[in-house]
Structures are given as C-alpha cells and as structure tokens.
Amino acid sequence: MQLIQENPDLSAYMAADEAIDHHHPLVREVSARLAAGVHDSYEYARAAFEYVRDHVTHSQDVDDPRVTWRASDVLEQGTGICYAKAHALAALLRAEDIPTALCYQHLGVLHGLVAVRFHGAWHRQDPRGNKPGVDARFSLDGERLAFTPDPSKGETDHPVLYAAPHPAVLRALREATDRAHLWRTLPTVL
C-alpha cells in the first residue's frame, strides 16, 4: 500500500498539538528516560514503541472505564484505547525529533496506528498492546501490526498519514464519558 502524507511539509509531522503534547513535562521525562538507554534514533523508536505497547494498558483489555486522549494523560494514567496509545507514541517520538504520523485501519470501527519516517520512507507501527492472538512488533522491514484487514468483511487500510488526530476520532474521545460510551460512538469511517 502506498502511504500518502496529508501534508507535504514534513515539519507538520513533528508538531505538538492538544493531543500530541510532546512539550509536556511528563512526555519529556519519559522520552529522556527512554533516550538515556539507547544509542540512536532507531533504538529510541523501538524503545518508545515497546514502552507504549507494553506499559500503557489497552483499556478494553483490562476493563478500565477511563477514556484518555491527550498523550500526557495517557502516560500519566497508563491506559488508553488504540487512538490514545497512538497519540502517546507519536508524542514520545516527536519529542526526540522523529517524524510521526497518525494513520487508521477500518476493522468494523476505526483502529489507530502511527507511522514513523526512517530511511526516507514511512513505516506503520501498532502500539495497541499484545494479547493472545495479537503480536504487534516494531519493524522497519515489513509491517508487524496487530491486525490485518479482511477485505471480505469490508475491512481496509487507510493510506492517508495525518499530522494530527482525525477530527472524528478526537471528537469521540473528548465527548466520551467512559469507555462504554466511547464504544457506542466510535467512528466507523473517516
């Protein structure tokens, strides 16, 4: 699949916004701690991915009713659904000057991912969190995502790389009173 930058200006994929608040002290603290243990940006990207995948729970998997959406809140509370975890990973990567996009899959509802730019190309990553039947891994040599869309079920990959969270996703996260409410209002299309 050919990935398409929504914005041709690569600096847009380094910007902070309300959801990807990579200037927040907590995001900076976590990024500094992760960066201290690695030798280069590739190792850092893997460490940040594994941190979000493994240390921030997917709220559905652990039956946590809280809804997080801002990267700093995701890191502080240690939980979030796929979109929130993607926001946290994007913030950690952007904090260390790694261009990062948000992207989506349609799997009945929208599923949130990130894409990182290395070697002049975008590489999608899925920090959702592993569980039985899900084995997402950081990879620059072929995708190792949590899910593969099934076209026979109408599932698809969206090729657009967004610099900021899609407004429909952000609206659903912000307006949700809890995860059960969010599940009823998740966007199904972009």
Side-chain angles (χ1 to χ4, degrees):
M1 174 181 62
Q2 174 90 20
L3 298 174
I4 304 162
Q5 282 182 219
E6 171 196 40
N7 188 327
D9 183 358
L10 194 58
S11 69
Y13 298 91
M14 303 280 287
D17 61 32
E18 191 176 9
I20 304 171
D21 57 343
H22 64 78
H23 296 303
H24 189 281
L26 179 58
V27 176
R28 290 296 183 176
E29 175 189 318
V30 173
S31 68
R33 187 171 63 242
L34 294 171
V38 299
H39 296 94
D40 59 32
S41 60
Y42 306 111
E43 284 185 30
Y44 175 81
R46 179 184 310 278
F49 169 84
E50 290 174 354
Y51 180 84
V52 173
R53 182 194 66 191
D54 299 341
H55 296 287
V56 175
T57 62
H58 190 287
S59 57
Q60 180 182 6
D61 292 350
V62 297
D63 199 26
D64 189 326
R66 296 176 291 173
V67 175
T68 55
W69 57 272
R70 185 178 289 117
S72 57
D73 293 339
V74 173
L75 295 174
E76 178 186 18
Q77 295 182 38
T79 194
I81 66 164
C82 60
Y83 311 125
K85 291 181 71 152
H87 299 169
L89 179 56
L92 289 173
L93 294 170
R94 290 180 184 186
E96 293 296 319
D97 299 322
I98 299 170
T100 308
L102 298 166
C103 47
Y104 302 93
Q105 293 177 312
H106 177 265
L107 305 170
V109 295
L110 288 179
H111 175 60
L113 316 162
V114 303
V116 296
R117 187 152 177 96
F118 282 113
H119 308 298
W122 289 100
H123 306 271
R124 293 190 311 162
Q125 312 295 327
D126 190 344
R128 180 227 180 270
N130 291 338
K131 64 179 187 173
V134 175
D135 185 26
R137 300 192 182 266
F138 183 85
S139 176
L140 301 179
D141 301 317
E143 294 184 336
R144 298 288 307 271
L145 305 178
F147 306 107
T148 301
D150 181 348
S152 71
K153 295 180 181 176
E155 298 177 346
T156 60
D157 281 312
H158 289 278
V160 177
L161 301 173
Y162 296 91
H166 192 279
V169 169
L170 201 51
R171 183 173 42 258
L173 289 168
R174 282 180 168 166
E175 293 176 359
T177 55
D178 59 23
R179 191 175 42 80
H181 177 250
L182 178 62
W183 247 237
R184 293 189 303 272
T185 61
L186 284 175
T188 57
V189 294
L190 293 177

